[in-house]
Amino acid sequence: MAEVRHKVRVEERLRIKIGEAKNLPMRSHGSVSERDVYCALSLDQEEIFRTSTIDKTLSPFFGEEFQFGVPRKFRYLSVYIYDRDKTDKVIGKVAIKREDLQTYHNKDHWFQIKPVTQHTEVQGKVHLDIKFENGFDVDSEKLTVRVSECSDLTLTNGSCDPYTTVSVRFTSGKVETKRTRVKKKTNSPVFDEAFVFELNRCGRGNDSRYNLTGHDGNWCELVVTVYHDGGGNNIFLGEVRVPLQQNMQQSAWYLLQPGKRNVGKTKSTTLCSDIGSLRLKIYYTRDYVFDSNMYDDLRKLILHSVSMQPITSSACFLLGEIIPNKLDAAQPLARIFLHHRMIVPVIKALASWEVSKTTDVNTIFRGNTLVSKMMDETMRLAGLHYLHETLRPALDVVISERKSCEIDPSRITDSTTICSNLNNLKEYVENIFVAVTSSALKCPPILCELFHELRDIATSRFPDNKEVRYSVISGFIFLRFFAPAILGPRLFDLTTKHIDSQTHRTLTLISKTIQSLCNLVTSKSTSCKEQYMGSMYQAFYTDTHIAAVRQFLEIISASSSPSRDSNDSPVILKEGTMTKRAQGRRRFGIKNFKPRFFTLTTHDLSYAKQKGKESLCRIPLSDILAVERVHHDSFKKSNMFQIVQPHRVLYVQANNCVEEKEWVDMLSKMCYTNHQRLQTYHPGAYVNGHWHCCYATSESAEGCKEVSNKMHLQMNIDSDRELARIHSLIVQHNDRLQSIINFCESRSHRSETVPSCVIEDSSSSLKTLIALRDAAIDLQSETRLYLRMIARETKYGSKQAPIGDDNYLLLASRLDAGTLRKC
């Protein structure tokens, strides 16, 4: 069998929509029985995102969606449901094994909420060396158990002081237990302690060997249990049970498991207690990314779409027909064309075809078509900076002031507050209106060019309609760009604060009004579905507001490169609290760790003691020479990264792995073009007089490892990763691809089986479809070869595949999944 000669990256992506919960149990204390509920999304026990709190309900609706690249391995995707009472109390959780995620892919599913106990929170692994040897005399043997180390143990209230107990259960029922020392402040402790157990022979007959089996046929057991030393309140972190066999010699990693003595109790409790259910919709993808040259055929085929005639025979268009969910196809396609700077011509070609088939000007680009979804993705990627610059200041005021803006009489007990609430709402909307309509010169050039092309296409198709030049652009910029960001600011990283139900309602009303702006320049009346919103629409349906919207739309669609102010004020790109290590600017200063509020702008990176306080340090972007992760061994802390400057290094700890990745990616992207950017760096830290990675004693020693290649950070796009996603989608929908090929081949025979897709030229479409299938077949062959190699080279019991890991046991079953066959 030929070996895989290519480097392979495994990329996972998760998108999860937390819908609603129902039938939550009432509070058992206090005067209020309903709960204030929020959800926390976690990888194992590491919290990644948190929803807004829904007040006073036992059936909360969240409707929040989170999307992220998975930065590390995990066992469970968990959603914890909390009640925000005097203290945040966990109600229960939904936990889905990593290997089961594909079962729920792209499905709405109600999950039963399970109770949370210390035994449901087990994670991590332990390395054991087990060896039988002859004892000190002929009638004895000894068992030596070495507890080497543990990895990724559960944190308890943010800390972990672990120790282990080692117990041997003899066939007589006797149990002998020994324990290690406590390791302070680490969830990956190194114990390196050995324990010896003397095993007396239980029989001296013809068989001179010690019989380890009891009358019931069960082996004696070795039980290794890990605890957190809670100062007299020891907390269970997991255990391993190993059946003992004569002459056993084993050195392996084991996955920690829940306590066996509590499994039955936990199950019965779970079955008999009804604590509600949670509706989730999960999108989970895992792709194998090969060397860039492996995608040459698929890449050329997709990029050739720009010049393909007709466009309906192009790979881009046909992928939108093969893949049922337009968003699944649009996201990787838009990213690939953005990366190769071809997004404008391909959207122009697709939009021209779509508009040519449109008969009603009011429906232009309003459906969930491929071109609309590609525009959405392009605006999200290319316009994120613009979105932050435009909306963030006004939204910060709304979120911090928390003024009531409710104007629906059915939601208000005191009708006298409607007038003041209406004024509050008008004030907020006016602030956002001014921010948006005065931002035209800041709109990214690539979006301006796209808007210009779409306007020309629409006006050419409907020359007699004088308003289409505005409506075609306003539908994208207001309805599909600004309004969703206002409704869900946390999804667009416009705020890190948790949004309460009242503020969420305010944002909903603001978003409704902003959505109406897309019709402001074309609508002949102020009619609306909700009568209570009529006064808001009427307040903004004035000549002044209409003129401002038209001027804004004219500017952003006028040309591909509008003028820019050369003296741009700094724009906040990202901010949040992290922990930093002192930089040692004072010769005898203490290099301790302290929390600081970091702010990254288009000019510099700064930090202060708290948000709003004066900056303690400001680092110009030109002084950031490299941004890289730090090895765990340097400080015994997770999620650490370093910011290398000309004369010092700043070490920073993010709150979780996703946040760490976002900061590293953003900083690297902003500093990639620095002329002084380093070529090498130290992955370890300079501590106690030497570098932990290469042990060089000079603090100014040249780095021992090449810096990461961040070329793909152009708009945070990894083109090879997106091509791998396209390949996986073709494999996933191979049956539909083949049915369309069959249809094109038999069209001359007037086949009656017509797939629900558009085929204008069956001959040229057939060539493209076969080329897509062949490219996918070649890549799938490499994927199967890679999986076989991994299965062959990965040892069961290694750190990558510890004993008890279901993911490893299921690896072989994946080899034949999604196999493509040539016709």
Side-chain angles (χ1 to χ4, degrees):
M1 182 185 296
E3 294 292 334
V4 177
R5 298 182 299 276
H6 312 283
K7 294 180 180 178
V8 181
R9 289 182 287 127
V10 181
E11 297 281 354
E12 296 172 280
R13 186 174 291 166
L14 265 167
R15 186 165 87 244
I16 178 169
K17 183 173 183 179
I18 301 177
E20 59 186 310
K22 63 182 180 182
N23 302 326
L24 298 180
M26 294 186 294
R27 284 179 181 167
S28 58
H29 63 280
S31 59
V32 179
S33 60
E34 294 178 319
R35 299 176 180 267
D36 302 330
V37 187
Y38 69 89
C39 294
L41 176 66
S42 299
L43 296 181
D44 295 325
Q45 278 76 52
E46 182 177 14
E47 183 177 315
I48 305 299
F49 296 111
R50 185 180 290 191
T51 69
S52 301
T53 300
I54 310 301
D55 296 333
K56 299 178 181 178
T57 180
L58 297 178
S59 296
F61 177 81
F62 302 100
E64 295 192 37
E65 185 172 284
F66 305 97
Q67 179 174 259
F68 58 97
V70 180
R72 64 167 177 81
K73 290 185 177 181
F74 66 98
R75 290 182 69 189
Y76 289 93
L77 170 70
S78 300
V79 180
Y80 291 83
I81 300 92
Y82 287 92
D83 178 12
R84 177 160 284 164
D85 197 1
K86 295 178 182 179
T87 59
D88 289 3
K89 180 180 179 182
V90 63
I91 300 171
K93 74 171 183 177
V94 170
I96 308 168
K97 283 187 177 181
R98 179 172 170 242
E99 61 268 23
D100 293 338
L101 286 172
Q102 195 62 43
T103 305
Y104 304 104
H105 176 71
N106 199 22
K107 297 176 184 175
D108 256 318
H109 190 83
W110 283 97
F111 293 88
Q112 192 70 29
I113 300 172
K114 305 293 185 181
V116 174
T117 68
Q118 63 182 14
H119 291 270
T120 67
E121 302 303 282
V122 171
Q123 70 174 46
K125 45 200 166 188
V126 59
H127 186 271
L128 304 176
D129 290 294
I130 305 168
K131 183 169 59 175
F132 278 102
E133 297 177 305
N134 290 327
F136 295 105
D137 57 62
V138 294
D139 291 327
S140 69
E141 283 183 308
K142 65 178 181 179
L143 168 67
T144 302
V145 180
R146 179 178 295 276
V147 183
S148 299
E149 59 180 309
C150 296
S151 178
D152 302 320
L153 300 176
T154 303
L155 297 178
T156 303
N157 297 325
S159 65
C160 188
D161 299 329
Y163 71 91
T164 67
T165 62
V166 182
S167 301
V168 171
R169 181 171 64 84
F170 297 89
T171 52
S172 62
K174 175 186 173 184
V175 178
E176 185 177 348
T177 301
K178 302 181 181 182
R179 58 170 285 177
T180 67
R181 292 184 293 271
V182 176
K183 296 293 182 179
K184 294 288 187 179
K185 297 181 180 179
T186 177
N187 68 335
S188 295
V190 176
F191 295 105
D192 197 24
E193 293 188 45
F195 304 96
V196 178
F197 298 87
E198 292 291 333
L199 304 178
N200 295 321
R201 300 189 191 278
C202 63
R204 299 194 180 190
N206 295 330
D207 184 5
S208 61
R209 307 196 63 80
Y210 174 65
N211 182 11
L212 289 171
T213 59
H215 296 295
D216 57 0
N218 294 324
W219 297 105
C220 287
E221 272 191 318
L222 168 69
V223 183
V224 178
T225 310
V226 186
Y227 294 95
H228 163 65
D229 181 18
N233 182 23
N234 297 329
I235 297 173
F236 175 83
L237 299 182
E239 71 176 20
V240 170
R241 290 176 173 261
V242 183
L244 294 176
Q245 303 176 40
Q246 291 173 347
N247 299 325
M248 183 177 183
Q249 292 196 24
Q250 185 163 287
S251 177
W253 283 90
Y254 292 83
L255 210 57
L256 291 173
Q257 305 292 345
K260 185 176 180 181
R261 62 184 179 276
N262 290 283
V263 170
K265 181 179 178 181
T266 302
K267 283 186 177 180
S268 63
T269 303
T270 302
L271 290 173
C272 68
S273 62
D274 183 5
I275 54 176
S277 54
L278 181 68
R279 181 166 61 89
L280 304 175
K281 191 169 186 178
I282 297 168
Y283 303 85
Y284 171 70
T285 60
R286 180 192 299 160
D287 299 318
Y288 300 93
V289 186
F290 295 96
D291 291 339
S292 186
N293 64 291
M294 292 294 296
Y295 299 102
D296 284 347
D297 291 343
L298 185 58
R299 183 186 297 108
K300 289 175 183 176
L301 194 57
I302 291 173
L303 296 181
H304 182 58
S305 300
V306 172
S307 56
M308 188 74 178
Q309 292 294 332
I311 188 65
T312 53
S313 295
S314 69
C316 179
F317 184 91
L318 289 171
L319 283 167
E321 299 298 297
I322 294 166
I323 302 164
N325 188 324
K326 298 296 183 186
L327 180 62
D328 286 347
Q331 284 190 333
L333 286 171
R335 289 166 176 260
I336 291 167
F337 284 108
L338 270 168
H339 179 81
H340 291 280
R341 302 181 185 275
M342 298 172 70
I343 192 66
V344 175
V346 75
I347 284 185
K348 178 181 178 181
L350 292 169
S352 296
W353 179 85
E354 183 175 318
V355 172
S356 71
K357 306 299 180 183
T358 303
T359 57
D360 184 358
V361 69
N362 295 315
T363 63
I364 189 170
F365 298 130
R366 292 299 176 93
N368 290 323
T369 61
L370 180 66
V371 68
S372 296
K373 290 298 185 182
M374 288 181 69
M375 272 295 297
D376 290 347
E377 183 69 5
T378 302
M379 289 190 296
R380 191 180 71 82
L381 290 171
L384 191 60
H385 177 182
Y386 169 52
L387 196 66
H388 281 221
E389 185 178 14
T390 305
L391 292 183
R392 190 162 192 157
L395 288 179
D396 281 346
V397 173
V398 175
I399 295 169
S400 60
E401 288 185 348
R402 297 186 67 253
K403 291 181 180 178
S404 176
C405 295
E406 186 56 72
I407 57 175
D408 182 357
S410 66
R411 291 173 174 258
I412 298 177
T413 55
D414 184 2
S415 60
T416 60
T417 62
I418 290 181
C419 184
S420 61
N421 291 351
L422 179 61
N423 290 332
N424 292 338
L425 183 58
K426 286 179 179 178
E427 179 185 350
Y428 286 150
V429 173
E430 183 65 30
N431 289 341
I432 290 176
F433 178 87
V434 172
V436 169
T437 54
S438 62
S439 69
L441 294 180
K442 301 173 184 176
C443 185
I446 194 169
L447 295 187
C448 293
E449 190 173 354
L450 281 167
F451 293 148
H452 175 72
E453 296 291 354
L454 295 176
R455 187 188 70 177
D456 279 359
I457 292 168
T459 54
S460 298
R461 177 71 177 89
F462 300 99
D464 297 331
N465 190 311
K466 303 303 180 184
E467 307 299 337
V468 72
R469 62 188 292 114
Y470 301 121
S471 62
V472 70
I473 306 304
S474 65
F476 279 112
I477 197 70
F478 287 118
L479 193 64
R480 307 175 79 113
F481 187 61
F482 285 123
I486 294 168
L487 185 61
R490 294 178 66 223
L491 301 182
F492 293 82
D493 202 22
L494 288 167
T495 183
T496 56
K497 295 179 180 178
H498 299 301
I499 299 174
D500 57 65
S501 56
Q502 177 179 300
T503 304
H504 186 267
R505 175 61 179 167
T506 298
L507 294 174
T508 300
L509 294 172
I510 295 173
S511 181
K512 281 178 178 286
T513 311
I514 295 299
Q515 286 182 51
S516 71
L517 298 182
C518 69
N519 298 320
L520 192 59
V521 293
T522 59
S523 179
K524 305 302 182 184
S525 68
T526 58
S527 60
C528 54
K529 294 180 180 179
E530 299 98 342
Q531 187 176 359
Y532 64 85
M533 289 295 293
S535 55
M536 276 301 298
Y537 296 157
Q538 191 171 8
F540 286 88
Y541 196 80
T542 66
D543 291 341
T544 301
H545 289 96
I546 292 172
V549 171
R550 286 186 173 179
Q551 183 185 46
F552 169 73
L553 297 174
E554 285 283 4
I555 294 173
I556 66 173
S557 61
S559 67
S560 60
S561 55
S563 60
R564 293 288 185 272
D565 182 0
S566 59
N567 298 315
D568 283 338
S569 57
V571 177
I572 295 177
L573 300 176
K574 189 171 181 61
E575 60 182 5
T577 300
M578 296 187 290
T579 303
K580 63 164 273 301
R581 181 178 185 253
Q583 300 185 71
R585 286 175 289 177
R586 297 179 182 177
R587 186 173 181 181
F588 299 105
I590 300 174
K591 295 185 178 181
N592 55 350
F593 286 85
K594 292 183 178 180
R596 293 289 183 260
F597 188 85
F598 283 78
T599 302
L600 173 64
T601 73
T602 49
H603 290 184
D604 53 40
L605 174 71
S606 62
Y607 57 81
K609 285 188 177 180
Q610 295 176 349
K611 184 176 183 179
K613 299 292 185 181
E614 183 179 355
S615 296
L616 299 174
C617 178
R618 196 174 295 275
I619 306 171
L621 295 184
S622 58
D623 282 353
I624 300 180
L625 310 183
V627 182
E628 299 286 348
R629 290 176 171 82
V630 180
H631 281 176
H632 180 275
D633 292 343
S634 297
F635 300 109
K636 306 297 183 185
K637 294 179 180 291
S638 301
N639 309 318
M640 291 283 298
F641 64 94
Q642 56 182 306
I643 300 168
V644 184
Q645 305 164 69
H647 303 295
R648 61 179 62 91
V649 180
L650 174 62
Y651 296 104
V652 183
Q653 182 184 29
N655 296 316
N656 58 60
C657 58
V658 171
E659 186 177 302
E660 177 207 10
K661 183 179 187 299
E662 290 175 350
W663 274 102
V664 170
D665 285 353
M666 182 65 78
L667 282 164
S668 299
K669 177 178 180 291
M670 294 302 299
C671 306
Y672 183 79
T673 56
N674 286 359
H675 297 302
Q676 296 179 321
R677 186 172 181 265
L678 295 179
Q679 299 300 311
T680 59
Y681 77 104
H682 290 284
Y686 187 80
V687 181
N688 298 328
H690 70 274
W691 291 99
H692 267 239
C693 44
C694 60
Y695 298 100
T697 56
S698 172
E699 191 170 3
S700 59
E702 185 175 346
C704 57
K705 185 177 180 180
E706 290 186 4
V707 297
S708 303
N709 182 5
K710 298 295 182 183
M711 283 294 289
H712 64 270
L713 284 175
Q714 176 188 358
M715 290 189 187
N716 292 326
I717 294 172
D718 180 347
S719 179
D720 295 338
R721 196 270 179 252
E722 303 307 325
L723 287 163
R725 179 88 288 267
I726 291 290
H727 162 240
S728 294
L729 287 167
I730 296 173
V731 172
Q732 183 180 345
H733 301 289
N734 178 51
D735 291 343
R736 180 166 171 80
L737 167 62
Q738 192 58 52
S739 69
I740 299 175
I741 289 176
N742 295 341
F743 167 70
C744 290
E745 289 177 334
S746 61
R747 198 166 191 182
S748 58
H749 302 294
R750 298 182 181 180
S751 170
E752 295 181 2
T753 306
V754 181
S756 56
C757 66
V758 175
I759 300 293
E760 289 190 331
D761 185 328
S762 57
S763 177
S764 56
S765 295
L766 179 61
K767 291 179 181 178
T768 303
L769 291 165
I770 291 175
L772 283 171
R773 184 189 63 185
D774 290 347
I777 288 172
D778 292 340
L779 288 167
Q780 190 66 5
S781 297
E782 291 291 335
T783 302
R784 291 198 301 273
L785 203 63
Y786 166 74
L787 290 176
R788 288 195 183 100
M789 183 190 72
I790 292 299
R792 198 167 56 243
E793 294 182 354
T794 302
K795 180 183 176 183
Y796 192 46
S798 65
K799 193 171 185 179
Q800 295 74 25
I803 294 173
D805 184 5
D806 294 337
N807 286 307
Y808 173 79
L809 297 175
L810 291 174
L811 178 61
S813 65
R814 294 197 215 109
L815 297 180
D816 297 323
T819 303
L820 284 174
R821 293 175 297 175
K822 289 189 177 181
C823 297

